């Protein structure tokens, strides 16, 4: 009988002791896959399981999109996307990178600009910028990080959308830093 009381007493004390609070969960990047554009003009690391979609543009050009969606710890969808916009055949139009930035930012009329900086990938000049938008599903503010590059009439648009607290998610960082425009 005394053994039973001790066991019960020890269990009772253990039940009253504060439970350890888990530390922050350190996310890991999704497994990435190196993708080379059909014509060898660029490479990028995309999370395995990405999807592609090619569509014609009204000006006669084409757009190829690489997209990947995933749920975070609260069930909110996050996304990374690369869109490669090719001009119509025979076009000599040059792209104004600041105008391309304005057009992308205009897609989110209620967004608040957060930062802007010049970037470069190989020989291509670009602009990196981010905006904060309110979630329409009650998950708090979101960050939309974008990078836009232009090279030889071709436009590269990168987008990563996450909750503000997930803006440094390893998948997002690996994706945004991986684009290499080669020619």
């Amino acid at each position: 009988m005394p053994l039973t009381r001790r066991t019960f007493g020890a269990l009772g004390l253990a039940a009253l002791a504060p439970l350890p609070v888990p530390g922050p969960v350190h996310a890991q990047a999704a497994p990435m896959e190196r993708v080379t554009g059909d014509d060898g003009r660029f490479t990028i690391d995309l999370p395995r399981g990405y999807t592609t979609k090619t569509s014609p543009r009204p000006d006669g050009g084409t757009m190829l999109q690489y997209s990947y969606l995933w749920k975070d710890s609260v069930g909110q969808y996050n996304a990374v996307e690369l869109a490669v916009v090719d001009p119509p055949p025979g076009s000599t139009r040059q792209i104004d990178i600041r105008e391309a930035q304005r057009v992308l930012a205009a897609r989110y009329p209620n967004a608040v600009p957060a930062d802007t900086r010049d970037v470069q990938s190989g020989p291509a000049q670009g602009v990196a910028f981010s905006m904060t938008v309110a979630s329409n599903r009650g998950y708090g503010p979101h960050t939309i990080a974008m990078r836009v590059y232009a090279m030889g009439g071709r436009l590269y648009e990168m987008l990563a959308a996450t909750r503000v607290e997930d803006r440094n998610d390893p998948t997002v960082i690996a994706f945004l830093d991986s684009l290499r425009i080669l020619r």
Side-chain angles (χ1 to χ4, degrees):
M1 191 72 155
L3 181 59
T4 304
R5 272 189 256 165
R6 275 192 216 133
T7 305
F8 177 78
L11 290 174
L13 289 177
L16 294 176
L19 295 174
V21 177
V25 175
H26 296 289
Q28 294 181 357
M32 303 295 263
E33 178 178 336
R34 173 74 35 100
V35 175
T36 300
D38 292 337
D39 56 6
R41 289 184 183 222
F42 70 92
T43 64
I44 188 165
D45 293 339
L46 291 163
R48 287 194 185 124
Y50 69 89
T51 60
T52 61
K53 176 183 170 185
T54 302
S55 55
R57 296 183 40 85
D59 64 2
T62 59
M63 180 168 59
L64 173 60
Q65 290 178 292
Y66 299 87
S67 303
Y68 180 75
L69 295 172
W70 76 97
K71 283 187 178 182
D72 64 15
S73 61
V74 297
Q76 176 65 37
Y77 279 102
N78 294 315
V80 292
E81 178 181 281
L82 169 68
V84 180
V85 182
D86 281 318
S91 174
T92 58
R93 178 176 169 247
Q94 293 301 308
I95 296 168
D96 177 345
I97 201 71
R98 297 293 175 187
E99 179 60 23
Q101 176 189 4
R102 283 189 286 280
V103 169
L104 275 177
R107 293 180 189 168
Y108 304 92
N110 297 323
V112 177
D115 61 48
T116 299
R117 63 186 166 87
D118 292 335
V119 291
Q120 187 165 349
S121 178
Q125 297 295 317
V127 177
F129 60 103
S130 65
M131 302 176 295
T132 303
V133 295
S135 169
N136 60 355
R137 296 185 183 204
Y139 289 107
H142 280 62
T143 294
I144 300 174
M146 296 186 180
R147 293 187 186 180
V148 182
Y149 298 93
M151 178 78 183
R154 178 180 267 190
L155 183 67
Y156 300 85
E157 301 174 349
M158 300 180 79
L159 173 139
T162 65
R163 291 181 305 137
V164 168
E165 55 270 25
D166 294 330
R167 69 181 167 264
N168 293 321
D169 181 281
T171 300
V172 169
I173 300 302
F175 167 77
L176 288 173
D177 289 342
S178 71
L179 180 64
R180 298 294 177 259
I181 299 171
L182 307 171
R183 56 183 177 91

